[in-house]
Amino acid sequence: MTSPIPAPVAASLPTGVLIDGEWRPASTGATFPVADPATTQVLAEVADGDERDAMAALDAADRAFAEYRQTAPRVRSDLLRAVYDAIVAHTDDIAAVITAEGGKPLAESRGEVAYAAEYVRWYSEQAVRLDGLARRAPAAAHHQLVLRRAVGPALLIAPWNFPIAMIARKVAPALAAGCTAVIKPAQLTPLTTAYVAEIIRAELAARGLPAGTVNVVPSSSARKVSGPLLADLRLRKLSFTGSTEVGRVLLKQSADNILRTSMELGGNAPFLVFEDADIDAAVAGAVAAKMRNAGQTCVAANRILVQRGVAEEFSEKLTAAFSALVVGHGADAGVTVGPLIEPAAVDHVAGLVADAVDGGASVRIGGDAPDRPGYFYAPTVLTGVAPDARVVTEEIFGPVAPVVTFGTEAEGVEMANASPYGLTAYAYTRDVSRALRLAETIETGMLGINRGMVSDATAPFGGVKQSGLGREGGEAGIEEYLESVYVAL
């Protein structure tokens, strides 16, 4: 097996808290371990920050905001462009860290680095395009000015499954808008955040910009960091990606100080295949939408809804495609499916499969955890799944594809909408009129038509219903970090 992190990279990875431009131990000196989920080997001990570290980080971000908000848009643009260049130059090293602590295959990790870099490049370009307004009031003699200004210090809470992409699409628009930040990385994948934060720290220092513009507080207890920050009036923005359950708690905590919030929460994406679809293309799209990061994505195809006339053909071909997947350590050549992130994830997936089988579902392939070190679960296809099975109604976050059949288009849409979530949906059809109807009727923030991937740094990412509030990416993403000021002149 290949070494998970190249020795020079491992030796240079920061493992402390980053406050006011300095990496240092946590205030208590405590640490927590970060392990490779494919081997359970401990990769590093990382500083375990608490409320004192969190408040020190906010102190630094608040001081830096007074200066950083006044920097010229071109200065912020050039900063982000330099960060983009550095991320691209270090793609292989960053990918190795992502694979080591998160488990995904190296090819996917490299793809994530490229995806993250595009957010940084996009917002380097948007930084100089923050337009305002000047006009004479239609019914009066005075003039109206509308100015755009940074919201203020922001708390950015990232998930473990895309440790560089989720940070990039938060910190890049924040910096482009003139905000400063306190980053709380996921406990399971803090090393990738540290690598990227060091790139940002170095570029800030090289330009003489405030050291406290970006701060990082890893912690084994998110509440120790988020609680005191959300209670402090100096914090003006929260961006969170994670579960709906945690999102609800954070929204309640944010209410007292009326914080600006962006919430990218849970998903339960339907993947509809109609009888007129290109079945081979639909199978390839389903594999892409389902199996990225072993199914551990919020936009994963969770419910495979197939029209009855093509259900058996689709299921056979999907099973064949799953049989060609190679499970193993993400750093090994040829591996296409890595481990799940922790033992609880394996238990959760196994419980969903067992419930489906108890309800009459058939296991076409997989259905168990292989006997090997690490937190693996075999790629699994289930057919004959009841629409009310837990594997259909709950977010799977694992390599399991439950196939459920439907009759008419109206029935398919009804099943697609039978969820409190509405982040992403996918549909395969050759009928353009149907595609447009689906865009109007499926309750989702994003819809992929004849493609198994919707994410794009230049497009708005976000959901409806209990999948969240606000948007990240595209022109909309920077709006989350800006406020409008109207001047009657």
Side-chain angles (χ1 to χ4, degrees):
M1 185 180 69
T2 308
S3 175
I5 305 179
V9 178
S12 63
L13 267 175
T15 57
V17 296
L18 175 61
I19 297 175
D20 209 15
E22 177 188 357
W23 291 101
R24 63 199 203 198
S27 59
T28 63
T31 62
F32 63 87
V34 178
D36 179 345
T39 65
T40 72
Q41 171 190 352
V42 173
L43 301 168
E45 292 285 340
V46 174
D48 195 357
D50 64 6
E51 53 269 24
R52 284 168 290 182
D53 299 299
M55 296 312 295
L58 182 57
D59 291 343
D62 185 54
R63 289 192 301 269
F65 179 61
E67 179 182 346
Y68 185 73
R69 68 187 297 185
Q70 300 298 331
T71 57
R74 179 59 67 194
V75 171
R76 302 197 293 270
S77 175
D78 289 346
L79 166 68
L80 287 169
R81 179 65 198 210
V83 171
Y84 163 81
D85 290 338
I87 289 174
V88 171
H90 292 86
T91 292
D92 287 345
D93 289 346
I94 299 172
V97 177
I98 293 172
T99 292
E101 66 177 352
K104 65 181 62 172
L106 272 174
E108 288 192 25
S109 295
R110 293 189 186 101
E112 183 187 343
V113 176
Y115 177 47
E118 283 305 308
Y119 278 108
V120 180
R121 177 159 67 170
W122 172 258
Y123 286 111
S124 75
E125 297 162 345
Q126 294 299 109
V128 295
R129 295 181 175 88
L130 304 181
D131 298 331
L133 172 70
R135 69 183 179 192
R136 182 168 179 169
H142 70 275
H143 287 74
Q144 298 172 335
L145 302 180
V146 178
L147 310 177
R148 317 295 300 287
R149 67 186 183 196
V151 168
L155 171 59
L156 313 178
I157 303 179
W160 54 263
N161 56 343
F162 287 90
I164 183 173
M166 299 303 97
I167 286 295
R169 77 180 187 196
K170 297 177 188 300
V171 75
L175 293 178
C179 294
T180 56
V182 177
I183 298 173
K184 165 60 180 73
Q187 177 186 352
L188 295 167
T189 56
L191 300 176
T192 305
T193 298
Y195 196 113
V196 177
E198 173 57 18
I199 289 174
I200 298 172
R201 185 208 64 76
E203 294 298 342
L204 287 166
R207 285 159 176 73
L209 295 172
T213 299
V214 172
N215 307 272
V216 180
V217 184
S219 178
S220 62
S221 172
R223 292 184 179 181
K224 286 184 179 179
V225 173
S226 63
L229 291 178
L230 294 174
D232 194 300
L233 286 170
R234 294 173 298 172
L235 188 77
R236 296 311 311 145
K237 166 72 184 178
L238 166 65
S239 178
F240 170 74
T241 299
S243 72
T244 298
E245 291 73 23
V246 174
R248 289 193 189 98
V249 173
L250 293 173
L251 281 170
K252 290 175 182 177
Q253 292 178 318
S254 300
D256 286 343
N257 289 341
I258 320 295
L259 283 186
R260 287 280 295 273
T261 58
S262 304
M263 293 279 162
E264 196 265 281
L265 307 177
N268 189 355
F271 188 101
L272 293 102
V273 181
F274 291 90
E275 289 175 346
D276 66 337
D278 180 331
I279 299 302
D280 290 335
V283 168
V287 173
K290 172 76 261 183
M291 294 305 296
R292 193 160 48 252
N293 198 20
Q296 299 172 110
T297 80
C298 57
V299 295
N302 210 64
R303 298 171 287 152
I304 313 296
L305 310 178
V306 186
Q307 203 161 19
R308 199 163 289 119
V310 294
E312 183 55 33
E313 178 188 0
F314 177 87
S315 297
E316 288 181 357
K317 291 183 174 181
L318 184 65
T319 301
F322 270 45
S323 70
L325 298 171
V326 179
V327 176
H329 194 294
D332 289 346
V335 167
T336 54
V337 181
L340 300 188
I341 192 64
E342 59 183 345
V346 178
D347 293 342
H348 171 70
V349 171
L352 295 180
V353 172
D355 174 79
V357 171
D358 289 345
S362 299
V363 178
R364 290 290 187 100
I365 190 173
D368 56 11
D371 184 15
R372 59 179 297 165
Y375 313 130
F376 291 91
Y377 197 87
T380 300
V381 175
L382 304 174
T383 56
V385 181
D388 61 350
R390 287 178 55 214
V391 76
V392 174
T393 60
E394 298 180 21
E395 190 170 22
I396 300 170
F397 244 63
V400 178
V403 178
V404 183
T405 60
F406 67 90
T408 65
E409 176 185 318
E411 290 171 348
V413 170
E414 182 179 4
M415 292 172 70
N417 290 339
S419 171
Y421 301 103
L423 183 60
T424 316
Y426 306 89
Y428 274 73
T429 177
R430 288 187 172 99
D431 188 334
V432 175
S433 296
R434 172 182 284 141
L436 293 174
R437 287 195 299 272
L438 296 175
E440 294 287 347
T441 55
I442 294 183
E443 297 167 351
T444 186
M446 299 175 286
L447 175 62
I449 298 292
N450 295 329
R451 42 182 301 135
M453 182 180 293
V454 298
S455 301
D456 191 313
T458 65
F461 187 106
V464 299
K465 299 196 288 189
Q466 293 188 31
S467 286
L469 304 168
R471 293 295 182 267
E472 294 182 314
E475 289 83 357
I478 200 168
E479 297 293 335
E480 303 286 345
Y481 297 89
L482 292 168
E483 57 190 6
S484 295
V485 179
Y486 161 54
V487 181
L489 181 63

